[in-house]
Amino acid sequence: MTILSSSNPDGSVKNAMPSYFYLPPLDVSVAFPQATPASMFPPCTSDYFQLDDLLTLEEHAIRKKVRECMEKEIAPIMTEYWEKAKFPFHVIPKLGALRIAGGTIKDYGCPGLSITGSAIGLAEVARVDASCSTFFLVHSSLAMLTIALCGSEAQKQKYLPSLAQLQTIACWALTEPDYGSDASALKTTATKVEGGWILEGQKRWIGNSTFADVLVVFARNATTNQINGFIIKKDAPGLTVTKIENKIGLRIVQNGDIVMRKVFVPDEDRITGVNSFKDTNKVLAVSRVMVAWQPIGISMGIYDMCHRYLKERKQFGAPLAAFQINQQKLVQMLGNIQAMILVGWRLCKLYESGKMTPGHASLGKSWITLRARETAALGRELLGGNGILADFLVAKAFCDLEPIYTYEGTYDINTLVTGREVTGFASFKPAAQRSRL
């Protein structure tokens, strides 16, 4: 190859490359015919201890319809949209038709599912695509749930019906550039004025925010110094949202930077039940149960993909599934998934019985995401070179697990929540240093 001294502004070199350099890539099914890509999603083989036996008929039905939709509608397009880091807006009506948005919320057009049914539905979404499950999580288990648990009757009637059908989309804005794990110290301010409030500040990492119709935003009351909640409508004067680029995980999710400059929120859109960070934690405790089911679903998809791949792919004259070390890794993945499912199921039952504590939810989320990372790493090894291609799911899922390991409380923060509960000592901040002199 001859490199010429002059090149185009985009970095390409004129007349220097072979003619075939500009050809489109081969379709993966042509380039690698020995194994089936994730666009034709594998059957579920990961429910080895038969969770189905623990589900009600309604929960069975949820699992079945969500699985069918995700495998048919999302699997064929997810790699393309993940690579482009764009959201497939055309599938929103099909996702809305599943009737799982709103989860456990009763009335107001919401499905009123059991928390187990809601968790199973989210896991089935995540099994095929983690980004779509995060889209649901933010919209349903954070934004909608905040309105349902803390909003006024008028707010519930006004916002929840269209959100439940995905006719309108919501985001949930707590995290700020300077305050992630230390979210309760947020700086965004809400100042009371005649007829409403003026919000000033910035939020970061907010999923769905670039296209949300409704933004649930948390700000510090300038008078009481407590955290309050507000509903901001898209295109409000003074509101701007821009997409965060260059993510390596959950690339379909549209995370944004929100900037609020003297955004006016009428009194009717102040979420009356959010008067301190404790009220925000009510929502987070429930949503962490749902987040715990995301890596369960992701790990199931990874296993299902590896199980099929090892039986299709041959080396040294035999399927990869016939080799001892591959079986050992596959079974280790399978064992992880069974344990993760049972922890997730128990969390749901604790919640339904009113016994679940923040420590329970945090331990479930942190431990399950840890096991999921291990499962993804093993799956990446099993697929060899194809383990770094999004076409075979595992590489994509490997990357998607990283933000899930971090959001809704990092692994470390969640362990400290449980640690405080079991020891009685809070250790979130460094201990005050005292001189020995």
Side-chain angles (χ1 to χ4, degrees):
M1 179 182 74
T2 303
I3 301 296
L4 304 181
S5 58
S6 61
S7 61
N8 293 330
D10 63 0
S12 61
V13 180
K14 293 180 180 179
N15 305 319
M17 298 299 180
S19 59
Y20 45 79
F21 180 82
Y22 300 98
L23 290 176
L26 290 177
D27 184 272
V28 68
S29 61
V30 175
F32 193 81
Q34 203 179 73
T36 309
S39 56
M40 296 178 61
F41 214 78
C44 182
T45 55
S46 48
D47 187 10
Y48 192 63
F49 280 0
Q50 301 170 26
L51 172 66
D52 276 348
D53 290 350
L54 301 174
L55 304 181
T56 66
L57 290 176
E58 181 189 42
E59 291 159 0
H60 271 289
I62 293 166
R63 191 176 214 186
K64 183 174 184 290
K65 72 177 180 180
V66 175
R67 182 176 293 176
E68 288 175 353
C69 176
M70 292 300 297
E71 292 181 356
K72 179 182 177 183
E73 304 293 346
I74 304 301
I77 64 170
M78 60 182 176
T79 302
E80 174 192 355
Y81 280 88
W82 194 85
E83 279 289 335
K84 295 189 298 186
K86 295 188 180 299
F87 191 90
F89 293 104
H90 67 280
V91 303
I92 287 180
K94 293 173 182 176
L95 296 176
L98 291 173
R99 300 290 290 119
I100 60 173
T104 59
I105 303 170
K106 292 180 170 61
D107 301 322
Y108 312 102
C110 297
L113 306 175
S114 68
I115 194 167
T116 305
S118 189
I120 289 293
L122 189 71
E124 286 297 328
V125 175
R127 175 177 166 263
V128 174
D129 182 66
S131 292
C132 282
S133 70
T134 297
F135 162 76
F136 266 113
L137 176 85
V138 171
H139 173 84
S140 182
S141 299
L142 289 172
M144 288 183 70
L145 194 62
T146 298
I147 296 172
L149 291 180
C150 305
S152 67
E153 182 63 25
Q155 289 167 344
K156 294 173 190 178
Q157 292 182 5
K158 179 179 180 180
Y159 293 109
L160 291 179
S162 63
L163 292 171
Q165 297 178 49
L166 296 187
Q167 292 175 348
T168 52
I169 305 301
C171 71
W172 196 81
L174 175 66
T175 301
E176 298 185 357
D178 292 340
Y179 299 97
S181 295
D182 191 15
S184 63
L186 62 83
K187 281 184 177 178
T188 297
T189 59
T191 304
K192 188 71 181 77
V193 296
E194 184 177 354
W197 302 77
I198 296 294
L199 268 62
E200 286 268 0
Q202 189 172 341
K203 301 290 181 178
R204 185 161 171 81
W205 292 115
I206 311 306
N208 302 351
S209 59
T210 61
F211 59 91
D213 303 285
V214 174
L215 297 84
V216 175
V217 176
F218 297 89
R220 187 172 302 281
N221 187 313
T223 302
T224 67
N225 206 38
Q226 293 295 326
I227 306 301
N228 290 172
F230 302 86
I231 298 171
I232 302 178
K233 300 179 185 70
K234 68 178 181 181
D235 289 325
L239 173 71
T240 58
V241 186
T242 51
K243 179 182 174 182
I244 296 174
E245 299 280 6
N246 306 320
K247 297 187 301 172
I248 68 159
L250 296 178
R251 289 175 55 79
I252 293 175
V253 177
Q254 304 298 292
N255 293 91
D257 285 305
I258 299 175
V259 177
M260 293 162 284
R261 295 190 176 92
K262 296 183 179 179
V263 175
F264 177 76
V265 180
D267 283 327
E268 66 189 42
D269 285 331
R270 154 87 162 88
I271 303 176
T272 54
V274 179
N275 297 299
S276 72
F277 195 71
K278 289 182 180 179
D279 298 313
T280 307
N281 272 331
K282 294 176 188 175
V283 178
L284 287 171
V286 180
S287 67
R288 277 178 184 149
V289 177
M290 304 306 294
V291 173
W293 279 88
Q294 278 189 288
I296 293 173
I298 294 167
S299 299
M300 291 176 71
I302 291 170
Y303 177 88
D304 294 340
M305 192 68 206
C306 290
H307 180 265
R308 181 176 71 182
Y309 184 93
L310 293 183
K311 295 174 79 172
E312 292 179 337
R313 172 70 163 153
K314 294 181 180 179
Q315 289 290 279
F316 304 103
L320 293 182
F323 293 86
Q324 288 182 347
I325 195 164
N326 291 339
Q327 290 190 13
Q328 186 274 326
K329 291 177 180 178
L330 196 66
V331 171
Q332 185 176 348
M333 295 164 65
L334 188 62
N336 280 350
I337 293 166
Q338 306 323 297
M340 291 156 65
I341 288 173
L342 290 171
V343 170
W345 179 81
R346 182 59 184 153
L347 266 183
C348 290
K349 297 307 159 187
L350 286 169
Y351 177 82
E352 288 172 351
S353 66
K355 297 178 181 177
M356 191 192 78
T357 66
H360 288 143
S362 289
L363 178 59
K365 192 269 180 179
S366 60
W367 185 85
I368 288 172
T369 52
L370 187 66
R371 293 280 75 78
R373 281 174 112 201
E374 178 182 82
T375 301
L378 290 167
R380 206 226 66 73
E381 292 174 14
L382 286 174
L383 264 61
N386 286 322
I388 67 166
L389 288 181
D391 301 275
F392 291 93
L393 182 73
V394 176
K396 174 175 155 309
F398 185 100
C399 293
D400 287 342
L401 273 167
E402 288 305 291
I404 295 173
Y405 183 73
T406 297
Y407 70 39
E408 292 260 5
T410 64
Y411 175 83
D412 299 317
I413 289 295
N414 273 305
T415 58
L416 296 182
V417 171
T418 307
R420 176 180 60 188
E421 192 168 286
V422 299
T423 67
F425 294 99
S427 58
F428 296 95
K429 298 179 180 180
Q433 298 295 315
R434 294 183 178 180
S435 172
R436 296 189 180 207
L437 299 177

